Amino acid sequence: MTALYELPAELAIDTSIARRVIAEFIRGQLRQAGFERAVLGLSGGIDSAVVAFLVAEAIGAERLLSVLMPYRTSSPASRADAEAVVAKLGCASELVEISPMVDAYFANDPDASSLRRGNFMARQRMAVLYDRSVTWSGLVVGTSNKTESLIGYTTLFGDSACAFNPIGDLYKSQVRQLAEALGVPEAIIRKAPSADLWPGQTDEAEADISYPVLDRLLFWRVDKRRSIDEVVALGFDLALVARVDRMIAGSEFKRQVPPIAKLGPRTAGVDYLYPRRRPGSARV
């Protein structure tokens, strides 16, 4: 089979093993929390499509709710791709238009930057998902990949928020490989990755680097712990290595649980960790 994307050789994975591990992870996370259902935001992009397929494979499509949350400037093609995933899986879905919510907030601040608007959209979508998690009685599943997490290309309490994340340890290139194995629609695999926060926005243009190159660099710097000199010897540009290192270091706060000033003998989340069991009607 001819690959639909450029896959760096060192990032190739055994998709059969990955699917089995992730399926058990999904079932285990739900079981530990006392839930049987899951909910996720379906954007029409490859990450959320892959997670939708993985969840359906793990627990059955009938237990998955996919929520489409377009803004008025969102690409119609993205909505069509999301609907194609819903149709192929046969899962429940819901359309929630976030334009009235976002526009109401910025009504008195019409000159707000694209960055502010994009971050607010991401957080508004997560607010919708957590509300729907109550009506659906399911946990919110994350759809951010390892590449985005390492360089900080996520919004705190937005797309990075979730109860658990099945693809958080997969680089973008690996997500694409898994997408092909799962049978994600080819149009979704082939299109340029985009958060669809404003017209024409693409991830690679915004970061000014291609995912295959970035993934390889992150793999050697993070997974293999190679030094700067060693990765430069592999052919990476020194300025690029330095820039990516700064992105990793500068976004570390996004990957950590908020620190707590320790005053008592046992601090929640630090030295008091309670098993993930839901006693009755716990809040999600």
Side-chain angles (χ1 to χ4, degrees), residues 21-273:
V21 170
I22 292 173
E24 183 52 42
F25 169 79
I26 292 170
R27 290 191 290 266
Q29 291 298 309
L30 290 170
R31 183 170 57 248
Q32 288 177 9
F35 286 83
E36 297 182 348
R37 291 176 158 192
V39 56
L40 59 79
L42 196 60
S43 67
I46 190 170
D47 295 323
S48 62
V50 164
V51 173
F53 272 74
L54 289 169
V55 172
E57 186 171 72
I59 64 174
E62 71 279 2
R63 295 183 177 181
L64 170 65
L65 172 64
S66 294
V67 186
L68 286 64
M69 297 168 283
Y71 182 67
R72 55 183 170 79
T73 60
S74 296
S75 167
S78 293
R79 177 174 171 178
D81 288 335
E83 290 172 341
V85 170
V86 170
K88 188 165 186 178
L89 291 178
C91 63
S93 67
E94 186 174 352
L95 177 68
V96 179
E97 172 63 59
I98 67 167
S99 299
M101 313 171 196
V102 175
D103 291 345
Y105 180 80
F106 287 110
N108 295 321
D109 194 2
D111 296 325
S113 67
S114 295
L115 176 61
R116 285 181 58 200
R117 290 178 180 274
N119 282 336
F120 190 79
M121 288 180 205
R123 292 179 176 124
Q124 190 61 62
R125 287 178 173 127
M126 193 52 63
V128 170
L129 284 182
Y130 269 92
D131 176 66
R132 290 300 185 266
S133 75
V134 176
T135 59
W136 182 251
S137 296
L139 288 185
V140 174
V141 187
T143 61
S144 294
N145 60 64
K146 187 173 184 176
T147 308
E148 295 170 336
S149 176
L150 284 173
I151 65 172
Y153 193 64
T154 58
T155 300
L156 276 177
F157 307 109
D159 54 306
S160 67
C162 61
F164 62 91
N165 186 344
I167 64 168
D169 202 29
L170 292 175
Y171 289 109
K172 188 74 169 188
S173 300
Q174 295 169 328
V175 172
R176 284 173 166 163
Q177 184 185 357
L178 195 55
E180 189 170 356
L182 286 163
V184 171
E186 183 176 325
I188 295 176
I189 301 176
R190 286 189 179 279
K191 71 179 181 181
S194 170
D196 202 19
L197 297 177
W198 53 82
Q201 182 263 343
T202 65
D203 298 352
E204 290 170 310
E206 194 171 355
D208 193 27
I209 182 174
S210 72
Y211 271 119
V213 172
L214 178 58
D215 287 348
R216 286 192 65 240
L217 175 53
L218 291 172
F219 172 79
W220 288 109
R221 281 293 278 149
V222 176
D223 291 42
K224 295 300 184 180
R225 303 186 181 187
R226 294 295 192 267
S227 68
I228 292 177
D229 289 341
E230 286 175 319
V231 294
V232 169
L234 289 172
F236 293 99
D237 178 72
L238 178 59
L240 174 62
V241 175
R243 179 161 70 95
V244 171
D245 275 7
R246 289 193 299 271
M247 295 169 78
I248 295 173
S251 60
E252 177 62 20
F253 73 98
K254 293 187 176 184
R255 296 184 291 273
Q256 299 295 327
V257 174
I260 296 174
K262 184 169 175 59
L263 298 173
R266 299 186 73 192
T267 306
V270 179
D271 45 25
Y272 179 71
L273 302 174

